[in-house]
Structures are given as structure tokens and as C-alpha cells.
């Protein structure tokens, strides 16, 4: 219990410090699309190196389920956020720059409306393990799976 409370406080403190900081937000200096296996054409992840030296690897599934698109955060009638499920095997089709502030990622499930700003990508990287744990817990709570539904 104490460890969980400490983790929550650490995450909240990180958010407060990052929002009150006068430093300019980190900007990417290198973005690499990763295939899996390396010899294939299936793009399963994105590696981003920021100008502050931090590097983050994002799976396609993680990026897809945390899409900043407005239609990705639907709520049920009870107000509970509906989780995007069944995206374990999603792949990236393309990545396009959007101005000088972010990228648009097109996924093979035809989702392509979210703009991943540099700030958003950086915060996803900083909180990646926490956000993935939250996602897995929400799936379990809602009786959903990371795997796509089986075809009949």
C-alpha cells in the first residue's frame, strides 16, 4: 500500500514540476520507426530521442490506445472512460510531421486523427509504465482484452 501511494505521489509531483518549470519543452532530435522483426516491413514502434538527452521507445499499441484524438476518449453513460481494446497487434502505417510541433501517426486499424505534439510524446514517455499499468487495469476492470476479437 505504501509503495503504491509513493508511486502516485511521485507521478503527481512529476506533473507539478513539469507544469511549473520555466524550461522550454523538450523537442525531438531523432525519430526512428521500428519494425518487428527488424527485417520485416511491419512497423511496430517508434523510438524518440529528445534534445534534453532523454530517449523513449513506444510500441504501436501504446501509441494507439493513448491517441490524443478526441474520439479516443469516449465515456459510457455512467461516466466511465471506455478503453480502446483489441490493439495488441496494431502497426504503424505512416508518420507525418504536423507543423513544427508534432506528428500524425496513421495506424493499420485506419485510425489517423490524433496529433502527437512534442509535449504529449515526451509526457507519454515519462509516464509510460504508469500509463500502461493503468491501461491494463482498465481493460481488466471492463472485461476487455488487448487481443482483437476472434473472427467467427
Amino acid at each position: 500500500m505504501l509503495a503504491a501511494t509513493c508511486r502516485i505521489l511521485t507521478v503527481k509531483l512529476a506533473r507539478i514540476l513539469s507544469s511549473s518549470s520555466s524550461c522550454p519543452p523538450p523537442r525531438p532530435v531523432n525519430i526512428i520507426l521500428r519494425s518487428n522483426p527488424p527485417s520485416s516491413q511491419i512497423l511496430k514502434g517508434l523510438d524518440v530521442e529528445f534534445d534534453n538527452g532523454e530517449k523513449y521507445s513506444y510500441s504501436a499499441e501504446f501509441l494507439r490506445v493513448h491517441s490524443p484524438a478526441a474520439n479516443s476518449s469516449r465515456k459510457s453513460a455512467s461516466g466511465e472512460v471506455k478503453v480502446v481494446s483489441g490493439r495488441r497487434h496494431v502497426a504503424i502505417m505512416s508518420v507525418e510531421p504536423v507543423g513544427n510541433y508534432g506528428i500524425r501517426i496513421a495506424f493499420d486499424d485506419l485510425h489517423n486523427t490524433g496529433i502527437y505534439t512534442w509535449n504529449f510524446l515526451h509526457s507519454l514517455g515519462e509516464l509510460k509504465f504508469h500509463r500502461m499499468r493503468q491501461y491494463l487495469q482498465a481493460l481488466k476492470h471492463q472485461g476487455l482484452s488487448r487481443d482483437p476479437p476472434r473472427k467467427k
Side-chain angles (χ1 to χ4, degrees):
M1 179 69 173
L2 181 59
T5 303
C6 288
R7 269 188 248 121
I8 291 169
L9 291 174
T10 302
V11 169
K12 287 182 179 178
L13 181 60
R15 286 184 188 149
I16 291 167
L17 290 174
S18 67
S19 67
S20 65
S21 171
S22 61
C23 296
R27 295 181 53 84
V29 293
N30 201 10
I31 299 176
I32 299 170
L33 285 165
R34 210 171 357 96
S35 59
N36 189 16
S39 60
S40 82
Q41 296 295 318
I42 301 171
L43 301 173
K44 297 297 277 185
L46 193 67
D47 296 335
V48 181
E49 180 181 354
F50 289 90
D51 60 4
N52 63 359
E54 294 174 347
K55 298 177 187 178
Y56 298 107
S57 290
Y58 310 91
S59 70
E61 176 190 15
F62 181 79
L63 290 167
R64 174 60 183 91
V65 301
H66 290 95
S67 171
N71 64 353
S72 290
S73 55
R74 299 180 310 255
K75 292 190 177 187
S76 67
S78 65
E80 184 177 55
V81 174
K82 289 187 166 189
V83 179
V84 177
S85 63
R87 299 301 190 265
R88 182 189 300 263
H89 305 295
V90 74
I92 296 171
M93 292 179 15
S94 67
V95 176
E96 304 171 5
V98 177
N100 62 357
Y101 61 92
I103 54 176
R104 176 177 289 116
I105 302 173
F107 298 92
D108 66 356
D109 67 353
L110 305 181
H111 177 78
N112 66 354
T113 57
I115 296 174
Y116 295 77
T117 65
W118 305 141
N119 277 352
F120 183 69
L121 266 178
H122 187 263
S123 69
L124 277 180
E126 286 182 315
L127 301 172
K128 182 169 82 171
F129 297 107
H130 174 74
R131 303 259 327 237
M132 192 62 177
R133 261 193 311 277
Q134 283 182 321
Y135 168 64
L136 295 174
Q137 288 170 349
L139 283 174
K140 184 176 181 180
H141 176 73
Q142 294 181 23
L144 300 171
S145 172
R146 293 173 63 198
D147 293 311
R150 295 191 187 268
K151 297 192 191 243
K152 295 180 182 183

